[in-house]
Amino acid sequence: MNRRRRPAADPSADDPLAGNGNARPITYDVFLSSPMASLPSDEDYESHRLGILRVLEALERDCRFKVYYAGERRPTKASFERPDVGAHRDSAALRESARFLLVMPKDLVSSSYVEAGYALALGIPSVYYHQSDIRLPFMLRQAAQYSPDFPRCKEYEYQRIDDIVRDIEESGTSLFD
């Protein structure tokens, strides 16, 4: 379970479903998704995880967001939960998140794309960061332009994790607007 963090000043103000009869309870300001098990080696996972923890810290520091990241307490691949336990925990956290942030470092078959699709289905505003040689699945690319049923979605290329951290530092919460 992730440690408790400061909530946003008014989480319901940014909840796209607040005020309607189908409002979801919001526990997290951001669900942070990135490949874990699909990274090819333990070293790749551990290195990528350290970068993602920097993104998490920037979201907490510069946006004052409470962030869910499944890898936060999983320093190695050997520390992963059973897949059914992890999937249950992650899907529950996603349902209780106001925003979705994807970081895709390599062209991988990853459950992160399933999480991104689930966020779309839930109407969660999303931001996708990916390397320039990655082409996102069709429905994730500028998803909001395809249907009024989709939430706000933004897509950005990045070279290094520092690019994402800088975007968060400069844009703050408006990154998701």
Side-chain angles (χ1 to χ4, degrees), residues 10-19 23-26 97-99 122-125:
D10 181 7
S12 65
D14 293 318
D15 179 7
L17 300 178
R24 297 178 287 112
I26 299 300
S97 295
R99 299 165 191 84
L122 292 170
I124 298 174

Side-chain angles (χ1 to χ4, degrees), residues 77-132:
K77 284 186 160 193
S79 65
F80 287 1
E81 299 167 295
R82 287 188 341 253
D84 59 325
V85 172
H88 177 73
R89 184 183 320 266
D90 294 349
S91 64
L94 185 52
R95 284 190 305 273
E96 295 178 3
S97 295
R99 299 165 191 84
F100 179 84
L101 177 61
L102 170 70
V103 179
M104 188 58 66
K106 297 180 179 189
D107 193 11
L108 300 166
V109 174
S110 172
S111 296
S112 291
Y113 290 130
V114 174
E115 293 167 346
Y118 192 31
L120 283 177
L122 292 170
I124 298 174
S126 299
V127 175
Y128 313 126
Y129 279 97
H130 61 85
Q131 293 290 312
S132 60

Side-chain angles (χ1 to χ4, degrees), residues 22-62:
N22 297 324
R24 297 178 287 112
I26 299 300
T27 303
Y28 302 100
D29 297 301
V30 176
F31 185 101
L32 178 54
S33 177
S34 70
M36 293 171 52
S38 60
L39 288 165
S41 70
D42 290 339
E43 294 78 22
D44 287 334
Y45 169 72
E46 292 167 21
S47 174
H48 179 68
R49 177 183 172 273
L50 290 175
I52 296 301
L53 290 174
R54 292 187 51 228
V55 172
L56 183 149
E57 290 167 5
L59 289 164
E60 290 178 337
R61 179 188 64 241
D62 298 310

Side-chain angles (χ1 to χ4, degrees), residues 60-80:
E60 290 178 337
R61 179 188 64 241
D62 298 310
C63 302
R64 300 186 58 83
F65 281 163
K66 182 177 176 185
V67 180
Y68 178 87
Y69 168 54
E72 183 175 13
R73 292 185 155 186
R74 309 281 174 221
T76 65
K77 284 186 160 193
S79 65
F80 287 1

